[in-house]
């Protein structure tokens, strides 16, 4: 067991895809390398690290590739796509970190863990799926998806789209493996894309399910289970604001859990972006009030750890 402090770091979509013009793999690699430089700063400062990441756009690309290739080759179910993206994104992160460590003379091993996350097959989300996935399409195509068992909706005049459930993560199946690796000093990459959602069947066997788990929620569960000193959410903004994008916008250096809850109730944190992050932080602090949470962007991580940037959230 090592005595260093441990951080769970959730890296957001901007660490992989900067914008619509930079979706190709070379650009993704560059974005990952840039983020990993800043994560390496943490390792250099002695942090134990567990890294999680999103996979939304990458899942969309694979679904599209499935559609185009359907006449020639079998399609990939969503749980396999989750596993595929954990592998490909985890690989890019592991390689970029290893190269960065090598440059700095840091001796640290890195391990990616393909992670399943248990959800309740009676989660209310399955009754009313609402998370859009993949691109927009025609009604005719949408009806074909329906025949394959997908739920489809017409999305406010923008076209037809598949929708799936976003159930609550209950249990990280590979938690023991992740914990052991961290205790042994490995940098661990886990719970990619929120984890591969699995349910228990009547016999207690795990089976993949067609859903996606919010990565901030799943990362929060991991941070709670590991009782980490720091839950760091690395996203596209250096700080959290109230009155975000309004003339009276105010960036926040520090928030108590109470203040965060209050501002959230007042609607300052958008659903689907900052909202889930604040909720993730609040549930972490509720379960582990000794912990600290930080929201910032990759270039500001080191400065934020020195108290010069980011938004710190503490009980
Ligand atoms: P990620 O891919 O990291 O999960 P998201 O786009 O889901 O990123 O969420 C981060 C985004 O949330 C920020 O880039 C910002 O545009 C938006 N946002 C919404 N409300 C706020 C707020 N109150 N303060 C700061 N950013 C906010
Ligand atoms: Mg997000």
């Amino acid at each position: 067991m090592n005595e260093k402090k441990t951080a769970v770091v959730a890296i957001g979509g901007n660490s992989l895809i900067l914008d619509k013009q930079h979706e190709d793999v070379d650009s993704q690699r560059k974005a990952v390398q840039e983020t990993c430089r800043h994560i390496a700063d943490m390792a250099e400062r002695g942090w134990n690290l567990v890294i999680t990441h999103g996979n939304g756009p990458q899942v969309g690309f694979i679904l599209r590739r499935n559609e185009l290739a359907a006449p020639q080759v079998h399609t990939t179910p969503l749980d396999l796509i989750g596993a595929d993206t954990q592998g490909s994104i985890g690989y890019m992160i592991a390689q970029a970190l290893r190269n960065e460590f090598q440059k700095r003379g840091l001796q640290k091993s890195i391990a990616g863990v393909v992670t399943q996350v248990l959800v309740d097959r009676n989660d209310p989300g399955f009754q009313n799926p609402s998370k859009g996935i993949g691109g927009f399409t025609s009604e005719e195509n949408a009806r074909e998806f329906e025949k394959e068992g997908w739920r489809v909706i017409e999305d406010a005049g923008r076209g037809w789209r598949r929708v799936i459930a976003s159930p609550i993560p209950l249990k990280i199946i590979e938690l023991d493996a992740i914990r052991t690796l961290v205790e042994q000093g490995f940098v661990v990459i886990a719970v990619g894309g929120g984890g591969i959602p699995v349910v228990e069947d009547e016999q207690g066997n795990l089976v993949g399910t067609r859903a996606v788990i919010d990565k901030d929620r799943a990362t929060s569960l991991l941070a709670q289970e590991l009782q980490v000193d720091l839950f760091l959410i690395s996203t596209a903004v250096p700080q959290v604001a109230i009155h975000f994008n309004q003339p009276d916008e105010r960036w926040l250096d520090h928030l108590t859990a109470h203040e965060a809850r209050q501002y959230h109730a007042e609607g300052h944190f958008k659903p689907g972006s900052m909202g889930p992050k604040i909720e993730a932080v609040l549930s972490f602090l509720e379960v582990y009030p000794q912990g600290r949470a930080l929201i910032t962007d990759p270039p500001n991580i080191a400065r934020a750890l020195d108290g010069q940037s980011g938004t710190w959230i503490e009980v």
Side-chain angles (χ1 to χ4, degrees):
M1 175 71 190
N2 65 69
E3 299 301 321
K4 294 181 191 165
K5 289 197 166 192
T6 302
V8 163
V9 182
I11 61 177
N14 71 315
S15 292
L16 294 155
I17 295 173
L18 294 174
D19 54 50
K20 280 261 168 221
Q21 278 69 53
H22 295 90
E23 291 185 329
D24 59 286
V25 171
D26 250 358
S27 301
Q28 291 189 33
R29 262 194 237 279
K30 287 203 184 85
V32 168
Q33 284 162 2
E34 164 68 13
T35 295
C36 285
R37 280 203 300 121
H38 304 295
I39 294 179
D41 288 342
M42 294 184 75
E44 211 162 19
R45 287 162 179 239
W47 286 90
N48 283 322
L49 294 167
V50 186
I51 299 163
T52 75
H53 59 83
N55 68 351
Q58 289 78 9
V59 169
F61 303 146
I62 296 176
L63 285 171
R64 182 75 187 127
R65 218 171 278 135
N66 270 347
E67 288 159 35
L68 295 171
Q72 306 282 331
V73 66
H74 64 87
T75 58
T76 339
L78 200 59
D79 57 336
L80 259 75
I81 297 180
D84 287 351
T85 57
Q86 286 186 353
S88 55
I89 298 171
Y91 155 67
M92 287 195 285
I93 297 170
Q95 187 179 67
L97 267 183
R98 187 235 174 229
N99 291 341
E100 197 61 42
F101 288 172
Q102 176 140 310
K103 222 181 279 172
R104 301 171 188 221
L106 272 178
Q107 301 293 330
K108 258 183 141 358
S109 298
I110 304 156
V113 176
V114 175
T115 315
Q116 306 170 76
V117 173
L118 183 71
V119 302
D120 183 350
R121 59 199 164 104
N122 297 314
D123 188 290
F126 286 110
Q127 255 51 63
N128 197 10
S130 58
K131 181 151 180 58
I133 187 167
F136 291 95
T137 188
S138 65
E139 178 170 4
E140 192 190 346
N141 275 335
R143 295 295 172 218
E144 289 302 313
F145 287 141
E146 229 170 15
K147 282 184 204 152
E148 294 167 22
W150 292 90
R151 182 82 67 94
V152 295
I153 57 156
E154 204 280 325
D155 190 342
R158 292 190 295 174
W160 288 77
R161 201 171 189 204
R162 284 164 280 185
V163 284
I164 51 172
S166 185
I168 306 282
L170 299 178
K171 188 177 156 198
I172 296 162
I173 302 297
E174 288 77 12
L175 182 65
D176 284 349
I178 297 168
R179 194 196 307 276
T180 303
L181 286 166
V182 177
E183 285 173 357
Q184 297 299 318
F186 283 79
V187 173
V188 184
I189 304 157
V191 194
I196 304 161
V198 295
V199 294
E200 257 174 17
D201 69 11
E202 280 83 359
Q203 287 77 45
N205 295 312
L206 298 181
V207 281
T209 183
R210 192 186 268 162
V212 290
I213 303 173
D214 177 75
K215 76 132 193 336
D216 296 312
R217 257 190 203 153
T219 307
S220 177
L221 178 60
L222 181 63
Q224 292 165 35
E225 293 286 358
L226 296 177
Q227 304 205 325
V228 293
D229 306 279
L230 175 65
F231 175 17
L232 168 50
I233 299 183
S234 168
T235 185
V237 281
Q239 288 189 302
V240 177
I242 51 170
H243 306 287
F244 180 65
N245 269 341
Q246 307 288 308
D248 54 346
E249 174 179 78
R250 187 156 68 83
W251 299 97
L252 304 167
D253 300 328
H254 188 268
L255 272 171
T256 63
H258 178 77
E259 288 165 337
R261 203 168 291 118
Q262 202 154 331
Y263 287 139
H264 192 30
E266 290 167 17
H268 287 285
F269 312 125
K270 298 225 169 70
S273 58
M274 191 51 75
K277 298 186 197 312
I278 298 291
E279 287 161 21
V281 163
L282 286 173
S283 51
F284 167 64
L285 293 176
E286 216 159 275
V287 170
Y288 192 62
Q290 301 92 316
R292 307 173 78 201
L294 172 63
I295 300 178
T296 191
D297 60 359
N300 283 294
I301 288 175
R303 293 184 58 239
L305 290 171
D306 291 335
Q308 289 162 11
S309 184
T311 302
W312 284 94
I313 309 162
E314 285 162 288
V315 161

